[in-house]
Each structure stands twice: as structure tokens, then as C-alpha cells.
Amino acid sequence: MQPAAHAAKFDTPVAERFRSFGKSIFAEMTALAAAHKAVNLSQGFPDFDGPAIAREAAIAALNAGHSQYARMIGVPALNQAIARRWARAGRGEIDPEAHVTVTAGCSEAIGAALVGLLNPGDEVIIFEPYFDFYTACAAMAGAVPRVVTLHPPAAGGQAMGGRAVPAGSSSSAPAHFWFDESQLRAAFTPRTRAIIINTPHNPTGKVFSRAELELIATLCQQHNVVAISDEVYEHLTFDAAQPHISIATLPGMWERTITLSSLGKTFSLTGWKVGWSIAPPALTACVRAAHQFMVFSGSTPMQHGAIAVLDSGDEYIAGLKELYAANRDMLSDTLRQCGLTVFPSYSTYFLMADHTALGYESDRAFCEHLTKSVGVAAIPPSVFYLTSGMGKDLVRFAFCKKAETMREACDRLKRGLTR
Ligand code: GLN
């Protein structure tokens, strides 16, 4: 009797704050892909290595005895390299000690920013579909998410007239995921403490336009709200007409923005877990307050590897963008041939498509079929929405793979999906 009662009481020992999240979709789909030997276009990670210069520097650091804790805010030369990169991108001079904090990947930076800034009951605005960390880390902070929906562009590639904040001013502006200005305005309440911006945007491949960022900036200033800007895909843009803009560089925004980025996407080193935050001292204090008690510091040898690549990696990035743009085009063409509606991806290494023409009842059903029977794994995006029912028509594919991997995936899609 005693054990049974005990068992019932501790049936679900997971803390309530995590219960609604279940298992991460990335872990779930990657495991399913492995089990069915599917080409894994679900979780976004490259199937090739990052620049040799980074690896060699990390190995040298290991051999040189850099195996103890790094400084809590980062190995000094890495803070300096991050500050130099920020300046080289034309974003201004920053202080590596006062403004830069090195974290265990951008994932930890997201957690540290939210947990370090938000009090229980504070509201945080999040655009859906979103990277799942945002809502989970908001829950860790006891904060309440308020969502603003990004809507797919109309089929046929037309820009939505009227309702969207225009990317350019003309109606020939490229089709992109858009949000309703009035929904954004209504999301700001007296309890709003922060808004999370993710540009370039995972999972849609959207790059937020200057007009959109200016609207967000104006609302942040009117309502005294902090912008937390996740920019990990900042270098993976494919369309010169849609450049990446850091919201911290807009007038009045430096003082109220925490910018987050990392090494992982830019240099194909997702497993290194080297990320950072850039923010004015008052907001840096929030990030560090949490960071010191989450991990204390990031991995020391990996930070040394990062130093080596941050100043010298531009050629690598150029090659990567070429590969990803070609992969995106090949995958988009294939999916269209298979009957899906493909939404344009201007950045990141993801694209979204609508699968409804193929007759599956949900994104989960479609992704399961894809993984188990077609041999290609993808992500069911409904997990990226808080609004119930949204995302069921969609599927997200990652295209951060070797050309030959993408060709194999496309062959399988053609064989498995075209009748
Ligand atoms: N950012 C990656 C993606 O969206 C996955 C990150 C993770 O596995 N947590 O696919």
C-alpha cells in the first residue's frame, strides 16, 4: 500500500512549470529520424564540420592546458573578438567587459536573459511560430507569454495588402510572413516587461524589415519594454533586398535591448555551445545575475576556438550562404513538384511549406509519414504556436546539409510523395 501511494503521489515528478511542454520536438524528431534511417531535415544542424581554424585553435587550447573554468563573463579575448565583430558590422563601438557576456550557446543566453530580467507575472510578447525555448524559458521565469501571430504570405507569392506592416512600401514587395499591427499594439499591456524578436526568424525564414522593427521599437519605448533580440541567423541571409537589421541599432533602442547570438549557425558549430549576449550595463547585469548560477561559465577550450574564427571567418560564411541558397532552391522546387505550397525563405536554414493539398490530417501525421515511409524527417510546426489549431497545415524543413544529402532527401521526397 505504501509503495502504491508513493508511486501515485510521485507519478509525474516533473515540475508543473514544464509539464505542458513535454519532450523537445528536436530530440523527438532526431530520434525518430535515426530509428527509421531517415535523412534528418528536422532538427537544424549541419552534417559537416565548421572551419578548420576553429578546431585547430580549440585543440591547441586543450593541449595548452585551458581546461579550468573560464572567467564567468567569458575568456577576455573572446569578449574582445565579439565586440570587434559588432563594430565591423557597423553597429558601433562597444565595451567587451561591460557589454558582452559569453554564454553556453545562445540557448543559455535566452534562459539567462529571461530568468534574469522577468519577475513572476510579468508579460513577455512572443511572435508565433517561435523557437520553443522562448515559452519554456518564460515559464521558468514565471512570466506570461502574449503571442503575436506571423501569418503565411498568400499563395502565389503576393504581398498581403493593407493588413501587414509592409516590408517595402510597394505592393510588389516580396511575399513574406507578416503580422497584424493591431494585434501587436494590443499585446502591449501595463504588465509587459519584454518582447522577444527573432530576426532572421526560425522557423519561417523571415527577415524583419526596418518598418516592422521601427514599429516594435516605438512600442517598446512608449511602454518601457525591453527588447530581447535573438539574432543567431544574422549572417545567413540570402536576399540583398532584405538585409538583417539589429533592433539595438535603431534610435533609442541600445539602452533597452539585449542582443543574443552565437557561433553555432554562422560557423556550423552547433555542438560547441558558444553564445553571447550584448547589452548595456543595466541589462547585462540581468543576464549575468542568472548566467553565473546557471552554468557559471561556458566551456573554456571552445571559447578559445571561437576567438580564432570570429575575426577570420568571412570567407567561410560566404561559401556557406552559397551552399544554403542552392539547397533551399533545390528543396523548394522538389516540394512544389510534390504538390506542397512552399513559402519563400529569405534567411536562416529553414523553410516552411503547406502540406494540405496532400490530404494528411495534421502536421504530426504528415511528419510521421515523411519520416517512417518517405525517409525524410521534418518538424511539425504546431509545437511552435500557442494559439490552438495553428501550424497544423505546415511543415518545417532544415536545409543546412551537404548538397549530396539534400539530393538524397529530394530524391526520396519525389519517389515517396509524387503519385
Ligand atoms: N535551433 C535548432 C532548430 O530550430 C534546434 C535547437 C535545439 O535542438 N534545441 O532546429
Side-chain angles (χ1 to χ4, degrees):
M1 213 171 134
Q2 187 74 2
H6 185 268
K9 191 170 172 207
F10 291 99
D11 194 27
T12 311
V14 173
E16 272 171 32
R17 67 176 72 85
F18 288 117
R19 285 207 202 146
S20 66
F21 295 97
K23 183 175 178 181
S24 151
I25 194 70
F26 303 114
E28 182 185 336
M29 292 312 298
T30 285
L32 195 68
H36 293 273
K37 297 195 168 43
V39 180
N40 188 1
L41 306 187
S42 64
Q43 186 181 25
F45 61 89
D47 63 347
F48 49 86
D49 220 341
I53 184 174
R55 266 195 323 277
E56 283 155 12
I59 292 166
L62 281 167
N63 287 328
H66 290 295
S67 292
Q68 309 310 327
Y69 299 124
R71 184 176 64 156
M72 188 270 277
I73 68 167
V75 169
L78 180 54
N79 294 57
Q80 289 157 21
I82 293 164
R84 274 197 300 277
R85 220 166 215 288
W86 181 267
R88 272 207 292 143
R91 298 174 193 164
E93 295 294 326
I94 55 170
D95 180 341
E97 301 292 299
H99 301 147
V100 179
T101 308
V102 177
T103 56
C106 187
S107 325
E108 193 240 328
I110 295 165
L114 292 177
V115 172
L117 176 73
L118 301 175
N119 284 305
D122 283 349
E123 290 181 3
V124 54
I125 299 172
I126 298 173
F127 289 92
E128 66 176 4
Y130 47 76
F131 179 51
D132 60 357
F133 264 62
Y134 306 148
T135 43
C137 292
M140 286 190 228
V144 180
R146 303 261 313 196
V147 290
V148 175
T149 304
L150 293 172
H151 301 278
Q158 294 305 303
M160 303 294 293
R163 283 177 291 173
V165 177
S169 44
S170 78
S171 58
S172 62
H176 60 106
F177 277 73
W178 58 278
F179 62 86
D180 188 328
E181 179 175 335
S182 59
Q183 195 192 12
L184 177 68
R185 286 183 183 279
F188 282 81
T189 78
R191 306 208 71 150
T192 310
R193 183 79 182 101
I195 180 168
I196 300 177
I197 298 128
N198 172 214
T199 187
H201 185 260
N202 173 11
T204 64
K206 171 186 176 66
V207 181
F208 279 66
S209 69
R210 186 170 291 278
E212 288 169 330
L213 293 173
E214 281 171 352
L215 173 64
I216 295 167
T218 302
L219 291 167
C220 284
Q221 288 169 57
Q222 273 170 11
H223 296 268
N224 193 25
V225 162
V226 173
I228 298 172
S229 189
D230 175 350
E231 304 181 8
V232 289
Y233 301 97
E234 60 185 315
H235 295 290
L236 303 182
T237 54
F238 310 126
D239 183 351
Q242 297 195 52
H244 168 66
I245 300 166
S246 283
I247 195 167
T249 63
L250 299 190
M253 288 308 288
W254 163 255
E255 288 307 323
R256 55 176 66 255
T257 302
I258 303 174
T259 306
L260 312 176
S261 194
S262 80
L263 208 64
K265 280 67 180 175
T266 307
F267 296 111
S268 316
L269 297 167
T270 62
W272 281 33
K273 305 300 288 181
V274 177
W276 54 83
S277 78
I278 293 172
L283 294 175
T284 288
C286 302
V287 174
R288 291 178 184 174
H291 165 72
Q292 63 183 343
F293 295 125
M294 285 177 151
V295 297
F296 184 75
S297 61
S299 161
T300 309
M302 295 313 170
Q303 291 192 45
H304 284 276
I307 294 162
V309 80
L310 272 182
D311 283 327
S312 63
D314 287 351
E315 214 173 291
Y316 180 84
I317 298 172
L320 196 63
K321 283 168 63 156
E322 223 169 277
L323 170 70
Y324 287 170
N327 286 352
R328 173 200 60 179
D329 293 345
M330 177 178 16
L331 180 62
S332 301
D333 288 348
T334 301
L335 293 171
R336 273 188 214 104
Q337 283 171 36
C338 296
L340 288 88
T341 301
V342 181
F343 300 115
S345 165
Y346 301 101
S347 185
T348 74
Y349 44 51
F350 303 113
L351 68 79
M352 294 268 264
D354 184 313
H355 63 78
T356 42
L358 275 58
Y360 294 85
E361 75 184 35
S362 70
D363 57 334
R364 282 222 166 239
F366 181 58
C367 287
E368 227 171 85
H369 173 75
L370 270 185
T371 309
K372 292 180 179 169
S373 306
V374 178
V376 177
I379 294 282
S382 53
V383 296
F384 300 149
Y385 289 83
L386 269 189
T387 307
S388 107
M390 292 209 73
K392 281 177 86 169
D393 299 345
L394 302 174
V395 53
R396 187 198 82 170
F397 291 93
F399 50 81
C400 44
K401 304 292 174 188
K402 294 176 196 153
E404 68 212 62
T405 309
M406 293 308 298
R407 270 194 295 275
E408 173 64 24
C410 289
D411 286 348
R412 290 183 183 197
L413 287 166
K414 281 180 207 159
R415 279 200 305 272
L417 287 179
T418 36
R419 286 155 211 173

